[in-house]
Amino acid sequence: MKDRILGKDLRVSAIGLGCMGMSHAYGAPADKREMTELLSQAVDMGYTFFDTAEVYGTQENPHENEELVGKALKPYRNKVVLATKFGIHFDMASEEVNKPLVPDSRPEVIRASVEDSLKRLDTDHIDLYYQHRIDPKVPIEEVAGVMADLIKEGKITHWGLSEADENTIRRAHEVCPVTAIQNRYSMMARWYEELFPVLEELNIGYVAFSPLANGFLSARYNKNTEFDGIYDYRSMMPQFTSEGIDQNHELLELLYQTAQKKNATPAQVSLAWMLCKKPYLVPIPGTRKAERLKENADSSEVILTADEVKALDDALDSMEMSAVFGGSKVVQK
């Protein structure tokens, strides 16, 4: 797989692997042995960029995903870039499937988080350490100062911000250069395109999570698809409802038609569209299946011209779409 550079010097595969869904939010956690094998297959396919977070897990084991990723990738540690996140916990008192997020980026909390993540990932450094959500109670300059210290100490080598706006990015970057933001981005969620100019100005990469709109843009779901109502966030996402599927008919047709022209799949078109928009964009789709892993990796070989990208953008601008899941609710405690 081809490489891309995030920020000044963080080299990663053009497609990364979002590991969250192996343990969190997409049904009950998958079999660890199978996921360990899948992560090994990802390395063999050319993936070098793996994304997790300290909170991806279940109520029984809140840190399951970091533990899985750390153990599975230990044999390949010198070949891979590990990204993880700090700064939130779930409101476990909530009865919602998709529990609200509680931000907490106090310096002492960050310090405890990084030590725990290093242990679970079984590594001496984290390659890319994100603030998972902005904490309105802690100035971003204070968070950036902690990141600068952690870089000096060798505990992390790069840092980033997730779901950040321009003002926050600029303020953080002044204190400690930001390597990447990780924000939601897909054909159905394009509101952060307004950040492209500042990212280019400051030489910051864009890591796109949910690049397939939580899998919807793979075009593999229909009105008969059922999701686990206890562990699977898709059970309450608007794009997967019967009404949402009807509203997205034109979008799916566009994907099918483009895929046919390009001898590709709808998922590959969705990812290629993103890759061909900007050289600093790196999508991190997740999966539990080897065939999807390869399909996503191969999307880096699907080339869209600038005119084709513009035609897709114009079509997306003018068509009806359902609402799309925009993220977990953030609450203050």
Side-chain angles (χ1 to χ4, degrees), residues 256-267:
Y256 280 124
Q257 289 170 13
T258 310
Q260 196 168 22
K261 288 177 192 169
K262 290 292 178 180
N263 193 26
T265 67

Side-chain angles (χ1 to χ4, degrees), residues 107-298:
E108 63 271 25
V109 172
I110 299 174
R111 284 279 177 184
S113 288
V114 75
E115 296 298 342
D116 289 342
S117 287
L118 286 167
K119 286 175 191 168
R120 286 189 291 265
L121 291 168
D122 196 9
T123 185
D124 63 355
H125 72 281
I126 293 162
D127 300 297
L128 181 53
Y129 201 39
Y130 296 105
Q131 183 186 34
H132 209 150
R133 290 292 183 273
I134 306 306
D135 185 348
K137 294 181 179 178
V138 180
I140 195 61
E141 291 82 359
E142 193 170 347
V143 174
V146 177
M147 296 299 108
D149 290 341
L150 292 177
I151 291 171
K152 284 176 194 167
E153 294 162 23
K155 291 178 179 176
I156 69 172
T157 60
H158 304 78
W159 84 290
L161 299 159
S162 185
E163 293 285 81
D165 59 21
E166 179 176 349
N167 177 54
T168 304
I169 293 166
R170 288 189 181 280
R171 288 166 53 201
H173 193 74
E174 279 191 22
V175 177
C176 182
V178 174
T179 292
I181 63 163
Q182 184 182 129
N183 284 19
R184 184 178 301 277
Y185 187 48
S186 73
M187 284 183 165
M188 296 185 76
R190 296 171 61 202
W191 46 83
Y192 285 121
E193 287 182 351
E194 65 185 24
L195 294 177
F196 289 167
V198 69
L199 299 179
E200 287 158 20
E201 175 193 338
L202 301 178
N203 190 22
I204 295 172
Y206 192 142
V207 176
F209 76 86
S210 294
L212 297 176
N214 308 100
F216 184 82
L217 297 175
S218 68
R220 295 181 181 276
Y221 299 91
N222 58 46
K223 294 182 183 182
N224 297 319
T225 305
E226 294 184 4
F227 299 109
D228 178 346
I230 298 174
Y231 291 108
D232 199 323
Y233 287 12
R234 290 171 296 182
S235 63
M236 43 68 65
M237 292 183 184
Q239 66 266 38
F240 291 102
T241 63
S242 177
E243 181 184 22
I245 288 170
D246 285 340
Q247 288 175 310
N248 294 319
H249 175 75
E250 190 179 354
L251 172 60
L252 294 178
E253 278 299 306
L254 175 68
L255 284 172
Y256 280 124
Q257 289 170 13
T258 310
Q260 196 168 22
K261 288 177 192 169
K262 290 292 178 180
N263 193 26
T265 67
Q268 288 174 334
V269 168
S270 299
L271 295 171
W273 163 81
M274 193 175 292
L275 289 169
C276 294
K277 281 179 83 82
K278 299 291 180 182
Y280 52 83
L281 262 166
V282 177
I284 52 167
T287 187
R288 298 180 174 194
K289 298 177 180 176
E291 59 267 31
R292 296 287 83 76
L293 196 67
K294 186 172 190 314
E295 178 184 355
N296 293 340
D298 289 348

Side-chain angles (χ1 to χ4, degrees), residues 19-38:
C19 300
M20 179 187 76
M22 298 175 183
S23 312
H24 176 82
Y26 286 81
D31 179 80
K32 287 188 179 67
R33 183 185 56 78
E34 291 178 8
M35 293 303 98
T36 298
E37 188 176 321
L38 188 71

